[in-house]
């Protein structure tokens, strides 16, 4: 058994926000868990090619949309799952940060960052 606090891990600035990676690959849990903040008014074009992701909204509001136009409005208590390595647009509302608990399987290393651009989806 072990414990970690958000204060114990340095935030990773991933592009349009921060991510405190609380569980990572080296913790040997079989999944990773992060407290992710998406800055208000931003849109991120993201894709995870080697891992599946589920996010549970704990604060703020926004949306996630896949490349087929399927849109999920995010608010506290809503979960979305990217169960097919879906390229997606993650948007925080204009007036408040979006806060998510993100779970990755298989786990991420913890040092990954996105390179955001208009040219395509950032992936790792």
């Amino acid at each position: 058994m072990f414990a970690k606090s958000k204060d114990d891990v340095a935030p990773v600035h991933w592009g349009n926000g921060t991510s405190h990676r609380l569980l990572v690959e080296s913790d040997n849990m079989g999944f990773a868990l992060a407290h992710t903040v998406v800055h208000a008014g931003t849109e991120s074009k993201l894709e995870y090619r080697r891992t599946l992701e589920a996010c549970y909204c704990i604060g703020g509001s926004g949306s996630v949309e896949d490349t087929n136009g399927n849109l999920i409005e995010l608010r506290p208590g809503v979960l979305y799952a990217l169960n097919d390595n879906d390229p997606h647009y993650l948007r925080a509302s204009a007036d408040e940060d979006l806060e998510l608990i993100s779970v990755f399987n298989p786990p991420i290393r913890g040092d990954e960052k996105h390179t955001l651009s208009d040219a395509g989806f950032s992936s790792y």
Side-chain angles (χ1 to χ4, degrees):
M1 177 169 44
F2 64 92
K4 286 186 190 178
S5 164
K6 185 176 155 188
D7 296 333
D8 295 336
V9 294
V12 172
H13 297 274
W14 56 264
N16 281 335
T18 58
S19 181
H20 285 81
R21 276 89 189 257
L22 296 162
L23 289 176
V24 295
E25 185 176 52
S26 63
D27 291 312
N28 295 313
M29 293 293 296
F31 62 93
L33 184 132
H35 181 174
T36 303
V37 175
V38 184
H39 295 312
T42 62
E43 177 182 86
S44 306
K45 293 167 60 176
L46 307 173
E47 180 180 11
Y48 300 100
R49 293 183 181 161
R50 70 168 201 91
T51 188
L52 301 178
E53 181 191 31
C55 293
Y56 181 71
C57 182
I58 60 169
S61 62
S63 65
V64 62
E65 183 178 4
D66 68 16
T67 55
N68 294 319
N70 299 306
L71 179 73
I72 299 171
E73 296 292 337
L74 301 174
R75 64 185 185 294
V78 174
L79 174 137
Y80 71 89
L82 301 165
N83 60 335
D84 198 19
N85 304 101
D86 311 285
H88 59 286
Y89 303 90
L90 182 59
R91 301 178 184 108
S93 66
D95 57 338
E96 61 186 340
D97 289 346
L98 175 63
E99 287 189 68
L100 305 167
I101 298 299
S102 304
V103 178
F104 297 92
N105 185 26
I108 57 174
R109 290 184 318 272
D111 59 352
E112 297 90 345
K113 295 180 184 178
H114 286 285
T115 302
L116 302 176
S117 77
D118 292 334
F121 290 85
S122 174
S123 63
Y124 58 78

